[in-house]
Amino acid sequence: MAWFPSLNQSGEAVALVDGERSLTYNELNNAVMRVVAGLLNGEDSLKEERVAFLYPASFDYAALIIGVVAAGGIAVPLSVHASAGELSHYLSVAAVRRLLLPGEMRSEALDAVCEALGVAQLAVEDLSVGEASHVLPLAAEQGALIVFTSGTTGKPKGVVHTVASVSAMVISLIEAWGWEATDVIPLFLPLHHIHGIVNILLCALWRGATVDLYARFDAEGLCHKVANDRYSVFMAVPTIYVKLITYLKTLDEAKCDRVTEGFANMRLNVSGSAACPVPLFNEWEALTSQRFLERYGMTELGMALSNPYEGERRPGHVGQPLPGVLIKRLSESGENITDPATPGELAVKSCTAFREYWGNPESTAKAFADGWFLTGDIAVIDEGAYRILGRASIDIIKSGGYKLSALEIEATLLEHPDVDEVAVIGLPDDEWGEIVAAAVVLANPLSEDSLVQWSRELMSGYKIPRKWIFTDALPRNALGKVTKPLLSAWFEG
Ligand code: MLC
Ligand code: AMP
């Protein structure tokens, strides 16, 4: 199986740019080969060893994500914003033995986690620079990538993609969205999720295009480059487009015009990972004359539905199944819905679908019905284009493109000795899509601030509720279950 043909074919073309530094495909190939030889250390395959890494967007990150797979391992890119507790969960679920990270990512808390789990920490430079090993060819079904995702139960699960499913995702999007070797794209999305990893980094590098790396989303720096016509393609979550519009409004007219022209001159602006509100679609078009290509995807599936690259892109709709994707819609009782206007849960079969949740056969089995992956997303079909209405579960929250589990946040907050009961919900929000809100019953007096500070030690900042209500009792039904739909009204006003 040819893994990353561009490494040998794109030669002196620039693969990656990080500030003032750039890396050609030849140099990337050498870096990948060093990772392969260093990890293998004389063996011929890592045999699906899960090699985790905690690198920000960097040349090392790119060499690792390609190199671990080339060496027969499973790449486990971890969030650089994760708490030590979250990292402990990821490392133990994936039974990781080696964690690669730069010195600045090391901490006492992480040292303790790694010691407890028997995980060796090393930097890319620490890998031995032995002779290039004889590497076994990759099999289509071997694992390539584990990405953690939240679900409706328990802590995040490790979604295993194979060499075949990752290759299929990349090849399908390159074809569908017209990637060219001349493309230049900025990458500011987190690199522990499919959007940043596959749709941007791997697609661009596979095609021999150029990726500008950003440590984080930076509207000013990005718009400066956009104004200089640096980019041909732009991909982001809706929240980022909202933030860009807010930033544009701070500029004087001439500067703003230059930036919007820069967007207008691109060949493609993609929105995804969360619903793009129609007013946002229209505002972006009015500013930049770009009609977003909105698409729908999921960690377990890669991209499933997409508006056309050429053809009508309808606001509020996510288009049609990508080639190789089969979709049906199911009723609550699992029956096939044929009436396009009747809402149904999307069930998907695709060559881009994941293999399993690592070490969790029970959840893997539950995720499918007769071989169809159950997405939990409800949709209708309007004149041939799918429209996502929402999710079947109230316990999944999408905030700024991150999928968050209300139950996981509740379980964490309940660890506080002064918290007796808690219910977490998502509230609609113009900028973030949804924001996290918590209603809490306290056992002992506790301030919101101290609860927030305490939470920071245990969870990533983006999971921490933005709105809090402290109450004597949560609304419950006759069975004692919290009636979450009633809770939203508590936060109004
Ligand atoms: C950051 N914060 C968030 C947040 N992101 N809070 C809620 N939701 C979020 N998404 C909080 C931080 O914890 C911090 O809080 C404060 O906001 C400022 O942090 P920041 O890092 O400066 O924010 P910013 O850079 O503006 O980040 C916003 C963002 C980021 C939109 C750039 O959220 C982001 O990159 N989102 C993309 C996620 C993504 O790639 N999803 C794809 C999943 S794959 P405090 O309190 O610490 O100050 C998928 C499949 C598919 O869904 O279809 O693509
Ligand atoms: P994740 O598990 O982080 O990959 O998130 C996948 C979820 O994001 C999907 O199940 C949808 O709920 C949501 N999603 C992704 N793209 C879109 C979109 N274009 N419109 C609405 N929801 C989306």
Side-chain angles (χ1 to χ4, degrees):
M1 163 135 282
W3 178 245
F4 269 85
S6 59
L7 290 189
N8 297 314
Q9 291 165 7
S10 298
E12 288 306 303
V14 174
L16 295 157
V17 177
D18 185 356
E20 299 297 306
R21 300 182 309 132
S22 59
L23 196 76
T24 65
Y25 275 90
N26 280 336
E27 288 167 331
L28 178 60
N29 190 36
N30 291 339
V32 167
M33 288 309 154
R34 275 198 304 277
V35 165
V36 171
L39 287 173
L40 283 172
N41 205 11
E43 301 292 316
D44 58 10
S45 171
L46 292 177
K47 299 192 181 78
E48 291 204 345
E49 177 191 339
R50 278 78 54 214
V51 179
F53 43 95
L54 201 46
Y55 272 84
S58 57
F59 300 160
D60 284 336
Y61 178 102
L64 278 165
I65 198 152
I66 300 173
V68 170
V69 182
I74 301 185
V76 188
L78 297 177
S79 163
V80 291
H81 300 296
S83 69
E86 289 167 329
L87 292 173
S88 171
H89 171 72
Y90 304 144
L91 294 169
S92 66
V93 166
V96 168
R97 298 200 307 271
R98 291 190 276 184
L99 168 65
L100 286 111
L101 74 177
E104 63 271 19
M105 288 304 299
R106 291 191 67 149
S107 68
E108 273 180 31
L110 184 56
D111 286 348
V113 164
C114 289
E115 201 181 315
L117 296 173
V119 175
Q121 298 179 77
L122 63 165
V124 167
E125 314 79 87
D126 300 335
L127 291 170
S128 60
V129 274
E131 286 290 296
S133 319
H134 165 73
V135 188
L136 281 182
L138 300 181
E141 280 317 307
Q142 78 186 63
L145 180 65
I146 290 183
V147 176
F148 281 87
T149 191
S150 298
T152 46
T153 53
K155 290 189 172 181
K157 299 188 281 279
V159 174
V160 182
H161 276 285
T162 61
V163 171
S165 68
V166 175
S167 308
M169 287 188 222
V170 168
I171 292 166
S172 141
L173 292 187
I174 287 177
E175 180 65 29
W177 297 345
W179 275 95
E180 295 292 346
T182 47
D183 278 323
V184 183
I185 188 168
L187 171 52
F188 43 78
L189 291 178
L191 281 172
H192 61 289
H193 281 306
I194 291 290
H195 196 158
I197 300 171
V198 175
N199 295 20
I200 301 179
L201 186 67
L202 297 186
C203 279
L205 294 181
W206 190 291
R207 186 62 188 86
T210 301
V211 181
D212 273 12
L213 301 169
Y214 287 77
R216 55 187 300 278
F217 171 66
D218 157 24
E220 188 180 355
L222 263 169
C223 287
H224 181 71
K225 295 276 185 165
V226 170
N228 288 327
D229 286 327
R230 168 75 182 154
Y231 302 119
S232 58
V233 186
F234 199 91
M235 294 189 193
V237 300
T239 299
I240 285 178
Y241 289 108
V242 174
K243 285 173 180 278
L244 284 170
I245 291 172
T246 306
Y247 172 72
L248 287 174
K249 288 181 179 158
T250 67
L251 301 179
D252 65 46
E253 205 180 324
K255 183 82 205 279
C256 179
D257 286 350
R258 216 22 240 124
V259 179
T260 53
E261 268 168 44
F263 278 105
N265 292 339
M266 293 183 199
R267 69 169 183 83
L268 181 63
N269 285 183
V270 177
S271 173
S273 299
C276 176
V278 173
L280 176 61
F281 183 105
N282 291 335
E283 193 172 1
W284 193 253
E285 184 178 15
L287 273 169
T288 66
S289 65
Q290 285 281 352
R291 288 174 73 79
F292 285 135
L293 184 153
E294 185 175 4
R295 86 316 178 271
Y296 159 91
M298 207 171 169
T299 304
E300 286 89 336
L301 297 171
M303 300 304 107
L305 291 156
S306 170
N307 274 280
Y309 180 55
E310 283 172 42
E312 195 203 356
R313 300 179 192 164
R314 282 169 52 201
H317 294 71
V318 290
Q320 294 79 28
L322 282 157
V325 178
L326 295 176
I327 300 211
K328 60 181 184 178
R329 291 173 314 115
L330 301 175
S331 67
E332 270 183 48
S333 54
E335 254 115 65
N336 209 357
I337 294 176
T338 48
D339 170 29
T342 304
E345 178 179 355
L346 294 174
V348 179
K349 270 189 191 180
S350 170
C351 51
T352 60
F354 75 130
R355 183 178 79 186
E356 61 182 323
Y357 296 114
W358 185 265
N360 196 340
E362 210 175 286
S363 293
T364 307
K366 271 197 206 145
F368 292 87
D370 297 329
W372 292 82
F373 176 73
L374 304 170
T375 62
D377 291 307
I378 310 295
V380 292
I381 309 175
D382 275 346
E383 293 168 29
Y386 283 75
R387 185 155 60 86
I388 310 289
L389 301 180
R391 286 174 302 271
S393 170
I394 199 168
D395 287 321
I396 296 290
I397 300 167
K398 263 269 161 168
S399 176
Y402 283 120
K403 184 180 187 182
L404 310 175
S405 158
L407 303 186
E408 186 197 345
I409 299 170
E410 287 166 7
T412 306
L413 293 173
L414 280 171
E415 285 179 36
H416 194 290
D418 296 327
V419 172
D420 235 3
E421 295 174 41
V422 58
V424 166
I425 56 170
L427 299 176
D429 184 82
D430 287 346
E431 183 175 7
W432 298 94
E434 286 180 298
I435 54 167
V436 180
V440 183
V441 179
L442 292 174
N444 295 299
L446 183 67
S447 72
E448 181 182 313
D449 268 2
S450 65
L451 192 48
V452 167
Q453 288 315 321
W454 174 88
S455 302
R456 282 189 192 285
E457 299 295 316
L458 300 185
M459 40 184 172
S460 306
Y462 52 80
K463 296 182 186 171
I464 298 175
R466 297 275 181 104
K467 288 199 172 179
W468 299 83
I469 281 181
F470 294 90
T471 175
D472 291 336
L474 298 174
R476 291 183 187 275
N477 64 18
L479 299 171
K481 202 171 168 324
V482 176
T483 43
K484 287 196 175 182
L486 290 182
L487 263 186
S488 308
W490 288 24
F491 290 92
E492 276 165 19

